[in-house]
Amino acid sequence: MIFFDTEVFAYDWLLVAFDGKKFTYIENDRKLLQQFYDKHKSDLWIGYNCKGYDQYIIKAILLGINPKIVNDYIIRSGKPGWSFTNKFRSIKLNIYDCMVFSKSLKQLESYMGVNIHETDVDFNLTRPLTKEERELNRAYCHDDVYNTALVFQNTKDSFEARFGLCQLAGEPLSSMEKTQAQLAAKILKAKKLTAKEWDQEFDFEYVQAVKDYSYKHKEVIDFFDSIRESKDASASLDIDLYGTEHTFALGGLHGAIPNYIWSGDNESKMVHADVGSMYPTIMIEWSLLSRAIPDPKLYIEIREQRLKYKKEGNSLQQPLKLVLNSTYGMSGAGKREQDNSYKTMSDVYDPRRMREVCINGQLMILQLIEDVCEACNCTLVQSNTDGVVFKVKNEDWDTFDKIVKAWEQRTRMTMEYDYTTALYQRDVNNYIAIFDNGKIERKGGAVKEPKIIDNDLPIVSDAVVEYFVNNVDPEEYISKESDMMRFMKTYKLSGKYNHAIHNNVTLTDKVYRVFASKDETDDILYKCKLDKKPEKFASCPDHCKIVNTNIQDMKVPNWLDRQWYIDEAWKRINSFKGCK
């Protein structure tokens, strides 16, 4: 494995590579780069956003093309690197891009607590770099390569899954550049449908189990029927189901009692009833697999093989699980242009099947809700696309269980129960659930569990959880913390903005690690467009300091305003309680 990054200027370029033991620096030396490439062209080259940028810089240099021209083609013109020249295809690189979602490397570096200061060397220089500037550029690029390796270590599960997909697909190492969807399509031996078949998106049908049921909330059926005519993919239906507001839409259903807090009683059971592998099961049991997969039996065999591998502890069970679970998403992975042409379709793309799976699944969940709520003394606490949370009176538990079993037989689904001892629910997207086995589930930005590459105000989200789960006052919890990393808030300057302003100083970094400050001479952080009024970053403390240096071992300084974090925790706690 070779971790790498490139930097390009008008008259200079740099490659920094790291093999896990030593760093290699190649600067303005095409011959040396050729030697390095020849030695390592069979290795796996790992970078951050290297798929869209760095690989084409390397290929340009090897081909004798000025990398600055390619840099500007990608960065300034916004064009894909592969389209610059067909000659790029002649240079083989085994690429793996460990980019996380749409986050920049600097954002992840901020979460990890390392130095995130941008290079002091101006990329717009129109002269060769000085010796000092070259040294600064080396140090800057070195840090990015090292931090890319850290990101890789913390996202290794994704790498192993991708590698497993390559193995299952019989693909060479060069296919690590492909997406999981592309590899899964290869494993499923998918063949693209025709444009005529793609246009059948709204010709969806109901399966027999849905047709045969007599719905009490017929307006839901009417809603989906109307979409056949309107072809409005953004349509939604808001409806009250047994005292709980729900929304049905083409992407799924959701509903929840807002500000619902329950800490257990002796009269009821709260059950999270989730459908096991709902979409794969619907696709198999009701013949709704994408029509681009020529042999549905292959999908069934993959599921059986995955269960066998899981039982054996074989690591290949994870990529097989990805194939099974991503098939639904791939069936909807396409983009219709304004002229009704299609673009960037998955080989599995079949929008009709995607609609049929999701709509029939929602109507099956509606059946369960109606059957249970009509027959049992219960509370419908929360619903989502593949599960429901009920609070059921003890005397009605046997009735509830019989209804679920009958529903399973009718729909050919399998329901899995998890029992909750406490639930703190702000809405369907933000809640804390404590299960009878002691597991705590945290969902939503208000209470999300901090991770090394998603570490935004961790002290606040943890304080909220501690308050509800262990009855710890936020002031007590936050006052005891001494680790500076726990108090960070990261802001990224999007491409819409030209610069930031803090304490009347213009700043050009793209990412800022911010902390609340007791010093009232410290200002808020602003983002600025050219010739426009400065805008505040959302939720930024009115008085803050920016610390873009390494804080991994930093202790909380005297200037940190702990009260700001305590107040933020109380705001979130009160939002769960439904009060200000």
Side-chain angles (χ1 to χ4, degrees):
M1 294 181 182
I2 303 294
F3 297 93
F4 76 107
D5 190 27
T6 62
E7 306 293 347
V8 177
F9 298 85
Y11 292 91
D12 297 86
W13 58 264
L14 171 69
L15 167 74
V16 177
F18 177 54
D19 64 3
K21 295 180 180 179
K22 68 175 183 178
F23 282 86
T24 298
Y25 303 86
I26 302 175
E27 193 170 23
N28 302 336
D29 191 332
R30 179 186 169 199
K31 183 177 179 181
L32 190 58
L33 177 63
Q34 184 69 57
Q35 292 173 355
F36 185 84
Y37 167 76
D38 289 341
K39 182 179 179 181
H40 295 285
K41 62 183 176 182
S42 296
D43 294 336
L44 187 64
W45 295 54
I46 302 172
Y48 202 89
N49 195 27
C50 61
K51 181 178 178 181
Y53 177 78
D54 299 273
Q55 67 162 320
Y56 299 114
I57 298 301
I58 291 174
K59 290 179 177 182
I61 297 168
L62 293 174
L63 289 167
I65 300 170
N66 184 343
K68 176 63 174 173
I69 298 175
V70 177
N71 172 88
D72 292 349
Y73 183 84
I74 297 172
I75 302 298
R76 295 187 177 181
S77 301
K79 296 178 181 178
W82 58 264
S83 67
F84 183 84
T85 174
N86 287 333
K87 293 180 180 179
F88 282 160
R89 297 178 182 177
S90 65
I91 307 292
K92 302 300 180 184
L93 269 179
N94 302 320
I95 293 291
Y96 176 71
D97 197 328
C98 59
M99 190 172 184
V100 178
F101 309 119
S102 58
K103 293 182 178 177
S104 70
L105 180 59
K106 281 287 176 281
Q107 282 178 283
L108 303 189
E109 290 174 349
S110 179
Y111 296 148
M112 293 189 292
V114 300
N115 186 343
I116 59 169
H117 182 62
E118 299 280 357
T119 178
D120 291 320
V121 185
D122 187 353
F123 283 103
N124 295 316
L125 287 174
T126 56
R127 58 165 174 77
L129 301 184
T130 65
K131 181 180 179 181
E132 181 182 3
E133 288 168 342
R134 288 167 63 180
E135 289 174 354
L136 287 171
N137 190 41
R138 280 187 174 210
Y140 172 74
C141 194
H142 167 282
D143 287 350
D144 276 356
V145 172
Y146 182 76
N147 292 327
T148 295
L150 289 181
V151 171
F152 174 81
Q153 288 295 329
N154 286 287
T155 57
K156 207 167 183 180
D157 288 349
S158 296
F159 167 80
E160 290 172 350
R162 184 85 57 86
F163 187 72
L165 287 172
C166 279
Q167 289 180 288
L168 292 169
E171 291 281 291
L173 194 61
S174 58
S175 290
M176 287 295 287
E177 182 179 352
K178 294 182 178 179
T179 65
Q180 291 182 358
Q182 289 171 325
L183 292 168
K186 180 76 181 292
I187 292 168
L188 292 166
K189 300 179 181 178
K191 296 179 180 179
K192 279 189 176 182
L193 299 179
T194 64
K196 182 179 180 180
E197 291 168 310
W198 289 337
D199 283 331
Q200 296 170 349
E201 177 177 354
F202 297 100
D203 296 339
F204 53 83
E205 297 292 339
Y206 303 127
V207 299
Q208 200 62 44
V210 168
K211 289 179 182 177
D212 291 344
Y213 187 82
S214 179
Y215 293 90
K216 293 174 176 60
H217 296 85
K218 293 183 173 59
E219 55 266 53
V220 179
I221 291 285
D222 293 340
F223 163 69
F224 286 121
D225 284 345
S226 71
I227 293 177
R228 286 202 190 95
E229 300 299 324
S230 69
K231 295 179 169 45
D232 182 3
S234 65
S236 63
L237 172 69
D238 295 325
I239 182 174
D240 182 289
L241 296 180
Y242 304 96
T244 304
E245 288 296 323
H246 282 67
T247 299
F248 288 83
L250 288 184
L253 77 92
H254 65 267
I257 301 175
N259 310 122
Y260 182 85
I261 294 178
W262 183 77
S263 52
D265 59 52
N266 294 323
E267 301 176 350
S268 309
K269 290 181 181 178
M270 184 173 288
V271 58
H272 281 231
D274 289 315
V275 185
S277 301
M278 184 175 187
Y279 282 174
T281 303
I282 289 177
M283 289 187 287
I284 290 172
E285 295 294 334
W286 295 100
S287 302
L288 294 180
L289 197 64
S290 166
R291 293 169 294 171
I293 300 171
D295 185 5
K297 291 180 181 177
L298 178 58
Y299 188 81
I300 298 171
E301 290 170 1
I302 288 173
R303 183 173 69 164
E304 292 172 350
Q305 188 68 33
R306 188 253 163 174
L307 293 173
K308 178 175 179 290
Y309 282 165
K310 185 178 180 181
K311 188 175 182 180
E312 296 171 351
N314 189 320
S315 61
L316 286 178
Q317 72 88 14
Q318 184 60 30
L320 286 178
K321 181 181 178 181
L322 280 175
V323 174
L324 295 170
N325 291 343
S326 64
T327 300
Y328 167 79
M330 288 190 292
S331 69
K335 182 180 178 183
R336 189 196 292 260
E337 299 297 293
Q338 289 185 343
D339 62 357
N340 281 330
S341 64
Y342 287 88
K343 186 179 180 181
T344 62
M345 284 76 61
S346 156
D347 285 353
V348 183
Y349 185 58
D350 186 350
R352 173 178 173 173
R353 286 289 186 259
M354 175 192 68
R355 300 303 185 199
E356 288 176 330
V357 170
C358 188
I359 291 170
N360 281 286
Q362 289 181 69
L363 293 171
M364 289 175 183
I365 293 293
L366 177 60
Q367 290 181 19
L368 179 65
I369 290 171
E370 290 188 346
D371 288 349
V372 170
C373 291
E374 291 288 332
C376 299
N377 187 353
C378 68
T379 301
L380 176 56
V381 178
Q382 182 192 123
S383 309
N384 55 57
T385 302
D386 62 354
V388 189
V389 179
F390 293 105
K391 187 180 75 169
V392 183
K393 289 291 185 180
N394 292 338
E395 61 265 24
D396 282 342
W397 180 256
D398 288 343
T399 302
F400 171 82
D401 197 42
K402 288 177 182 177
I403 289 171
V404 172
K405 285 181 169 58
W407 178 86
E408 288 178 318
Q409 186 173 11
R410 182 172 70 247
T411 63
R412 305 176 191 170
M413 302 291 111
T414 301
M415 193 65 80
E416 299 170 350
Y417 292 168
D418 286 305
Y419 300 98
T420 304
T421 58
L423 179 68
Y424 308 96
Q425 177 172 281
R426 188 177 81 181
D427 50 54
V428 71
N429 295 313
N430 290 273
Y431 63 81
I432 306 164
I434 305 175
F435 295 96
D436 60 351
N437 61 3
K439 179 186 174 184
I440 299 173
E441 182 179 354
R442 302 164 58 164
K443 181 176 180 180
V447 292
K448 68 179 179 181
E449 189 168 1
K451 298 178 182 178
I452 191 65
I453 56 172
D454 189 7
N455 211 12
D456 220 24
L457 286 181
I459 191 69
V460 176
S461 56
D462 282 353
V464 176
V465 174
E466 283 294 312
Y467 173 82
F468 283 115
V469 174
N470 296 316
N471 198 29
V472 177
D473 188 279
E475 182 172 4
E476 176 187 350
Y477 182 78
I478 292 172
S479 296
K480 290 180 179 179
E481 184 58 65
S482 62
D483 185 354
M484 188 65 161
M485 284 187 63
R486 302 269 292 142
F487 294 86
M488 73 171 80
K489 174 69 181 173
T490 298
Y491 291 106
K492 180 188 176 185
L493 196 68
S494 76
K496 297 179 181 179
Y497 296 88
N498 179 259
H499 62 275
I501 294 178
H502 182 244
N503 292 347
N504 294 318
V505 177
T506 298
L507 307 173
T508 57
D509 282 356
K510 295 298 182 185
V511 175
Y512 301 90
R513 189 191 291 128
V514 168
F515 299 86
S517 171
K518 289 189 289 188
D519 187 346
E520 293 190 1
T521 63
D522 284 326
D523 200 358
I524 197 170
L525 180 65
Y526 294 94
K527 50 188 176 180
C528 305
K529 297 177 181 177
L530 288 176
D531 302 322
K532 298 288 185 180
K533 186 178 179 181
E535 303 172 34
K536 295 179 180 180
F537 276 96
S539 304
C540 183
D542 289 339
H543 307 287
C544 70
K545 287 188 186 294
I546 299 168
V547 186
N548 279 4
T549 54
N550 190 305
I551 63 165
Q552 289 180 324
D553 298 317
M554 186 176 178
K555 299 303 180 184
V556 171
N558 290 331
W559 56 257
L560 186 80
D561 184 6
R562 290 179 187 266
Q563 188 60 48
W564 185 87
Y565 299 92
I566 295 168
D567 293 343
E568 285 297 305
W570 275 115
K571 286 178 187 177
R572 295 189 190 183
I573 290 167
N574 288 331
S575 73
F576 275 75
K577 294 180 177 181
C579 56
K580 295 182 179 180

